[in-house]
Amino acid sequence: MLAGSVEVRGWVNSVRRLGGIVFLEVIDGSDLQVYTVVIKRSENPGAWEAANRVRVGSAVVVKGEVPGVQVSRRGVEVRAESLAVVSEPIDVMPLDPSGRTPALLDNLINHRYVALRIPRQRAIFRVRALVVKAAREFLERHGFLEVHTPKICGAGAEGGATLFRVDYFGRTAYLAQSPQLYKQMLMCGLARVYEVTPYFRAEPFSTVRHLNESWGVDAEMAFIEGPEDVMKVLEGLVLYVFEYVRSNAGKELSELGLEVRAPRSPFKRITYDEALEILRGRGCKLEWGDDFGSDEERLLGQAMVEEGYDAYFITDYPWRAKPFYIMREGQLSRSFDLDYRGMELASGGQREHRYDELVRSIREKGLDPSEFAFYLEAFKYGMPPHGGFGLGLDRLVMVITGAQNIREVVLFPRDRQRLVP
Ligand code: ATP
Ligand code: MG
């Protein structure tokens, strides 16, 4: 911050009065900058008068000088020439906006807008925005076109139980649990697409990594030879995001007390069978074909960390553990998950692009092909081999910011208990 005149528009996070001097800690609306506004009665009786009455939480506009020599330890010092209170709280502040008195997560969520005045809280959401920016930048450089597919749908990707129903002019519609079907249909006309999108899932989750409305970065690419082509893009994307945050979020990371280190690459690749072997070796009783639950994911994460890998792909899942659209290979499937220290970040794979095989797969999963007629239609007109992934944005932000609960990185989380704010 250069010396000279400034205008600070922000909120008062704390007030200290010391004889003839008032110190206001003001956070400005734009980034993480905290200002220590100094108002002396001897120099500026009018502003001092106003400052003496100002309350924590007020929105203010301060005009003043940043002196050449800084004495304040916290924040850039501003010698105020004028102070205008543009809005005052009409109720008791629900939490301490300076962040010195810690607040419970519930309270941070209930009053998120005020919590965002706490530098640490604001840092999390600034990092989140950078993650999205980096993801877009990477995908666009690799020829992916951003698309937007409908969120009110006539059919879900994986069947009924996990779908939110909506009344659509007397017909039943569903909130999209993913853009899966649409992004695949687009492969019949565009070769590379991506979408930053909400996922709506109606399961009664009660974990620290599931929400009923979450966000993902979904990508789909055509003319691939196998799942490895997709994994390379996903790995590149994740590494790019880590590196982008590391080099563009210096202030935010130091506010969070974090060092961001990109996971060791190339990411480890293990097959489902190898993972099963490791898990059985650690005492898990698993049948071949079972999907891994959160306990197994955690154990596998430990095993990988011991080998020096934070991020790793699990490939070749049994077909029965994966949805109908994944390409089958005997009892296996051309699928992968990307996990980070025991938490799933993404799922993907090569899709079935052959019409007849796809119809057969839909039937085998106990679904009715006629309900997917609109989707199947796109597979009649030169659908190329393709694949893609869905990457959990909230979870990626969790691992980058070190959050333990997904609710810390989502402004207004939606879970079973929470529909407002
Ligand atoms: P999980 O097994 O962890 O419940 P999933 O396999 O059901 O996830 P996918 O359908 O593979 O989820 O979705 C792609 C990615 O989106 C997941 O890897 C995860 O990162 C994220 N995701 C999926 N569902 C949720 C959710 N309910 N809350 C937060 N993130 C989610
Ligand atoms: Mg998955």
Side-chain angles (χ1 to χ4, degrees), residues 201 291 322 336-337 344 346-348 390 395:
R201 306 212 172 168
D291 201 358
K322 287 288 167 186
F336 62 80
D337 277 5
E344 182 184 316
S347 284
R395 292 199 188 165

Side-chain angles (χ1 to χ4, degrees), residues 58 94 118 125 130 152 179 193 208 215 229 245 256 265 282 334 346 375 378 391 410 420:
S58 300
I118 303 172
F125 291 95
L130 284 178
I152 306 175
V193 302
V208 292
W215 283 78
D229 294 340
V245 171
L256 294 167
S265 63
R282 291 180 181 234
R334 296 199 173 185
Y375 164 73
L391 167 65
V410 175
V420 294

